[in-house]
Amino acid sequence: MMTQFIVRRVLYMIPTLIAISIVTFLIIQAPPGDYLTTVVAKLEAEGAYVDRSQLDALRERYGLDDPLWSQYWTWISGIVTEGDFGRSLVYDAPVADVIQDRMGFTILLSLSTLAFVWAVAIPIGMYSAVKRYSIGDYAATFVGFLGLAIPNFLFALVLLYVSHRYFGQSVGGLFSPEYEDARWNLGKLLDLLAHVWIPVIIIGTAGTAGMIRIVRANLLDELNRPYVTTARAKGLPERRLLVRYPSRIAASPIVSTIGWLLPSLISAEIIVSVVLSLPTTGPVMLKALESQDMYLAGGFLLILSVLTVIGTLISDILLARLDPRIRYGKR
Amino acid sequence: MEPAPPILHVENLRTQFPTETGLVKAVDGASFSVSRGKTVCVVGESGCGKSVTGRSILQIVDRPGQVVGGRILWRPNDAHEPTDLAALDPRGDEIRRIRGNEIAMVFQEPMTSLSPVHTIGSQIVEAIRLHTDLDADAARARTIEVLEHVGLPRPADRFGAYTFQLSGGMRQRAMIAMALACDPRLLIADEPTTALDVTTQAQILRLLARLQAEMEMSVLFVTHDMGVVAQIADEVVVMYLGTVVETGPTEQIFAEPRHPYTRALLDAIPRVGQRRRGRRLATIRGSVPGPHSRPTGCPFHPRCDYARPGTCDTREPATVALGARRHVRCVLAEEEVAVG
Ligand SMILES: Nc1ncnc2c1ncn2[C@@H]1O[C@H](COP(=O)(O)OP(=O)(O)O)[C@@H](O)[C@H]1O
Ligand SMILES: [Mg+2]
C-alpha cells in the first residue's frame, strides 16, 4: 500500500517538475535581448573588443538562433544530462560551480533552522494546549507575538552585537577567519556550530512563534475528542495518552507545512545572509537578480523549486504514514 | 438476612463544569446503586446528565468539569471495604488501575470514539498490556479471542483493520471487545446503540445481554430509549436535570411509575400500529431547560401536569423510599408516604 502510494506520488511529480522548468526558462528569457546581448553590453562597457567569431561560437554553443522550444531543450537537457546550468556572467564561471558550494550551506542552514523551530515550538505549543490559560500559556503567547513582531534584520544586528560583545566572536560569516579556507576537521566543525546558531535563531524565530500557535490550536482541537476520552477510559497515563493519540493526529497539519516551509526559510535567509555575510545562496541570488545574470538566477530558481517539490513529497509520505486514511485514499 | 452490598453505590453525586457563561451543574445530587451481576438502565431525555454521571464514575469528565461532591463506593469484592472513586485524584494511578480493568466503558459513537489512525487490534492490545503481564504475542492472541467473542467475523484479519474499513455494527463490536478485554466487573455503556440502525441495534443489545450473563458482569446502561430499557434492564434509574427522580425494578417502573416524569417517558414510547390507529405519539410537554436556566424547586415542575404552585416551584422534593429498592423524588410521593 505504502510503496504504491509513493510510486504514484513520484509519478505525479514529473509533470510538476516539467512545468516548473518551463516557467523558470521563460523567466530567464523575459528580459529584452538574449544572454549574449548582455555579455556584449558588459564587455563593451569595459571597453573590451568583442571578437565576432567568438560571439558566433557562443551563439552556436547556446543555440541562441534556434526557436524558443529548442533553446529550452538545450538548456534543460544540459541540466538533466550533465548538470550544466549554463555560465554565470557575473562570476564568469559555470553556474553549477557557483551554486555548488553555497547550496550546501543553504541546505544546512535551512535544515538546522527547521530542527530549531520544531524543537522549540512543538514542546511549547503542546504545553500551551494542555495547560491552556495557565501563566505558562500566557507567557508563551506573549513571547511568541514578540518573536513575530521583531524584524529579522534588527534581530540580526542585536544578536551580532551580543555575540561579539559578550562571546568575543568574529562578526558575521559562518566561520572565524582562521577556518575560512581551512580543510574540514573537528575544529572547523565546532567553529561552524559556534557561528551557525545566530542565523538559525534569527531566521527561525518568526517561524517558531507561528508554529507554537499552530501546534497549540491543532492540539486543542483534538484534546477533547471522543477517542481521547476512550483512551483515558482504558487507563492510559496522561503523558502516554497525549503522545500516542491527540498529538499523532494534531501532527498531520504540521507535517504538511514542510513543503512550503523550505522556500519560506530560504527567502528569510536571503536578507539575514546579506546582513551577516553568510556564504549561502541568498546573497548570490540577490546579486544575480540585480545584475540580470539570468542563467545563474534561473539555476537557483530551478533548484529551489525542485527542493520545494521534494519537500512536498516528503511531507506527503510522512502524512500517509501518520494517517492511514490518506494511504487508503479515504481523504 | 442482610442483602448483599451493591457493587457500585453512588451517593449524592455532584459534577460541575465551570464555563464562561456560568457554572453548569450537570449532575446535582444523584444517588443510585448497581447490584452485583445486574443491568441497571439510566434513562432520561438528552441533556439530563446521564453521560456525565457515567463518566464521573471513572473520573473522566472533560476538563474543566469535575466531581465536586458525593461518594462513589466501588466494591468489586464483597470481602473488601469499598473504594470511594469520587475521592481519588482523576490523574492519579489508583483510578487508572480501575479504568479499563475493573470498570470499562463503551461509548455512543464508535467511529469517533476509536482512534482513526490506529488499527483496532493495536487499540485493544494497548488496553490488555496496560493491565496484564501478557507479552505482545499473548496480548495479540487475547485480542483476537475477544474479537471473536463479540462476534466479529474473521477476527484475525480484522486485527489490522482501521475504523473506516468497518461497518457501524462491527466498529461497535470492536469497541465492546476493547472494553471486555480485561474482564471488567462493571461495564458502563453510554448509548452504545443510538448511532446504529434498528437491526444492528437489536444485535448489539443481544450481544451485551449474552456477554453479561457469560462474564457475570454488572452493567450500567445509559439510554434515552424506554424501549431499550424494557428489553434489557433489571432495574431503572430515571434522571432529570442532574437528579435521580425515580429508581426501581423494571417491572415496577413500567407497571406502576410513580414520578410524573417517568409516566411521561413511558407515554412517549412509540407502539407498533399506533400510527395506523390514527393516534398521535404522545410527547413530553415542553423541553429540557438549558443548563443555565435550571428551575427552582422541583426541576420538573414547569413541565409537570401535576405540579402544585406554591410547593413544587419553591422547594426541592425529598427522595422517599417506597420499597427496598424503590425511590421517588416527588412531593406527591412524599405525601402518600406521610399519609400511609
Ligand atoms: N464538557 C462540558 N462542558 C460544559 N457542559 C457540559 C459538558 N458536558 C456536558 N455538559 C452539560 O452537562 C449536562 C448533562 O450532559 P450529558 O450528561 O451529556 O447529558 P445526557 O447524556 O443525559 O444527554 C448538559 O446540560 C450539558 O450541557
Ligand atoms: Mg449522553
Side-chain angles (χ1 to χ4, degrees), chain B residues 253-264:
Chain B
I253 295 285
F254 275 79
E256 217 186 327
R258 301 301 286 272
H259 197 286
Y261 182 57
T262 315
R263 260 177 243 160

Side-chain angles (χ1 to χ4, degrees), chain A residues 64-250:
Chain A
L64 290 183
D65 295 324
D66 298 347
L68 212 53
W69 62 264
S70 150
Q71 288 190 44
Y72 166 73
W73 184 250
T74 312
W75 180 69
I76 196 69
S77 56
I79 291 173
V80 173
T81 56
E82 301 167 43
D84 176 9
F85 286 80
R87 229 183 140 73
S88 161
L89 171 69
V90 179
Y91 289 85
D92 194 21
V95 167
D97 291 353
V98 179
I99 293 180
Q100 212 165 33
D101 303 341
R102 290 170 171 264
M103 207 52 160
F105 286 118
T106 293
I107 291 175
L108 173 86
L109 196 57
S110 301
L111 291 183
S112 309
T113 307
L114 194 63
F116 166 78
V117 168
W118 282 6
V120 174
I122 291 176
I124 295 182
M126 285 174 72
Y127 175 88
S128 275
V130 174
K131 299 256 189 269
R132 177 153 68 142
Y133 303 143
S134 68
I135 292 179
D137 179 25
Y138 286 124
T141 306
F142 178 72
V143 173
F145 281 130
L146 217 58
L148 278 176
I150 299 178
N152 276 354
F153 74 89
L154 188 65
F155 201 20
L157 293 174
V158 170
L159 275 189
L160 270 186
Y161 176 77
V162 170
S163 85
H164 179 66
R165 181 75 205 265
Y166 297 98
F167 298 104
Q169 262 182 4
S170 60
V171 172
L174 279 179
F175 299 100
S176 308
E178 63 267 33
Y179 284 110
E180 194 84 56
D181 295 313
R183 297 179 131 278
W184 278 103
N185 58 25
L186 187 66
K188 183 163 181 177
L189 187 69
L190 291 179
D191 187 56
L192 174 66
L193 290 179
H195 282 86
V196 87
W197 66 272
I198 297 178
V200 162
I201 290 180
I202 295 164
I203 302 167
T205 298
T208 305
M211 187 58 79
I212 290 175
R213 305 311 297 167
I214 296 176
V215 171
R216 181 181 183 274
N218 282 329
L219 193 56
L220 274 179
D221 262 0
E222 297 297 325
L223 279 180
N224 277 338
R225 293 284 165 121
Y227 69 86
V228 178
T229 307
T230 308
R232 187 170 290 133
K234 271 199 275 202
L236 270 184
E238 284 301 313
R239 216 167 254 267
R240 226 164 102 194
L241 177 100
L242 181 69
V243 173
R244 202 166 131 83
Y245 291 94
S247 303
R248 167 93 184 257
I249 293 168

Side-chain angles (χ1 to χ4, degrees), chain B residues 235-315:
Chain B
E235 291 189 16
V236 183
V237 173
V238 184
M239 280 192 80
Y240 188 75
L241 277 192
T243 64
V244 171
V245 297
E246 181 164 7
T247 64
T250 310
E251 320 80 62
Q252 291 186 28
I253 295 285
F254 275 79
E256 217 186 327
R258 301 301 286 272
H259 197 286
Y261 182 57
T262 315
R263 260 177 243 160
L265 283 178
L266 288 171
D267 286 341
I269 305 179
R271 285 185 183 74
V272 181
Q274 197 170 37
R275 182 73 59 78
R276 203 168 332 129
R277 274 183 266 132
R279 268 175 49 191
R280 265 189 58 240
L281 178 67
T283 53
I284 308 176
R285 179 156 61 86
S287 58
V288 183
H292 297 299
S293 43
R294 204 173 175 285
T296 54
C298 172
F300 188 58
H301 85 264
R303 302 172 71 192
C304 181
D305 291 334
Y306 307 88
R308 296 207 194 134
T311 312
C312 295
D313 55 350
T314 54
R315 101 181 151 77

Side-chain angles (χ1 to χ4, degrees), chain B residues 46-47 49-52 108 190-191 222:
Chain B
S46 198
K50 308 181 296 291
S51 298
V52 175
Q108 174 170 345
D190 188 354
E191 312 231 12
V222 171

Side-chain angles (χ1 to χ4, degrees), chain B residues 35-209:
Chain B
S35 303
R36 214 165 286 278
K38 300 284 190 220
T39 298
V40 173
C41 271
V42 178
V43 69
E45 288 161 289
S46 198
C48 284
K50 308 181 296 291
S51 298
V52 175
T53 302
R55 286 163 189 228
S56 298
I57 296 170
L58 282 181
Q59 293 263 25
I60 52 168
V61 288
D62 287 341
R63 276 201 270 185
Q66 58 173 341
V67 176
V68 295
R71 297 197 298 170
I72 302 170
L73 300 180
W74 170 238
R75 196 166 194 158
N77 188 328
D78 268 348
H80 289 85
E81 282 302 300
T83 315
D84 182 4
L85 304 182
L88 298 182
D89 171 13
R91 308 277 158 187
D93 280 344
E94 266 178 288
I95 189 75
R96 272 208 310 102
R97 273 195 288 274
I98 293 172
R99 288 179 195 151
N101 188 23
E102 294 177 10
I103 306 178
M105 198 147 175
V106 171
F107 296 90
Q108 174 170 345
E109 281 278 357
M111 187 65 182
T112 53
S113 297
L114 289 168
S115 162
V117 300
H118 296 87
T119 62
I120 55 167
S122 76
Q123 294 182 65
I124 300 175
V125 163
E126 184 178 43
I128 296 173
R129 298 207 63 186
L130 209 53
H131 298 295
T132 67
D133 299 331
L134 298 185
D135 63 16
D137 288 340
R140 186 190 166 93
R142 168 83 186 130
T143 300
I144 293 172
E145 187 183 298
V146 279
L147 285 176
E148 181 159 28
H149 200 185
V150 299
L152 199 73
R154 296 189 287 117
D157 296 345
R158 294 278 161 61
F159 184 93
Y162 293 97
T163 47
F164 58 81
Q165 297 172 312
L166 300 177
S167 71
M170 287 202 277
R171 278 199 284 270
Q172 195 55 290
R173 282 174 199 267
M175 181 100 189
I176 292 171
M178 186 163 99
L180 299 184
C182 295
D183 257 320
R185 297 292 79 220
L186 174 68
L187 180 70
I188 302 175
D190 188 354
E191 312 231 12
T193 58
T194 306
L196 305 174
D197 64 78
V198 183
T199 321
T200 319
Q201 195 171 345
Q203 285 169 0
I204 296 286
L205 285 178
R206 277 201 301 277
L207 171 72
L208 283 172

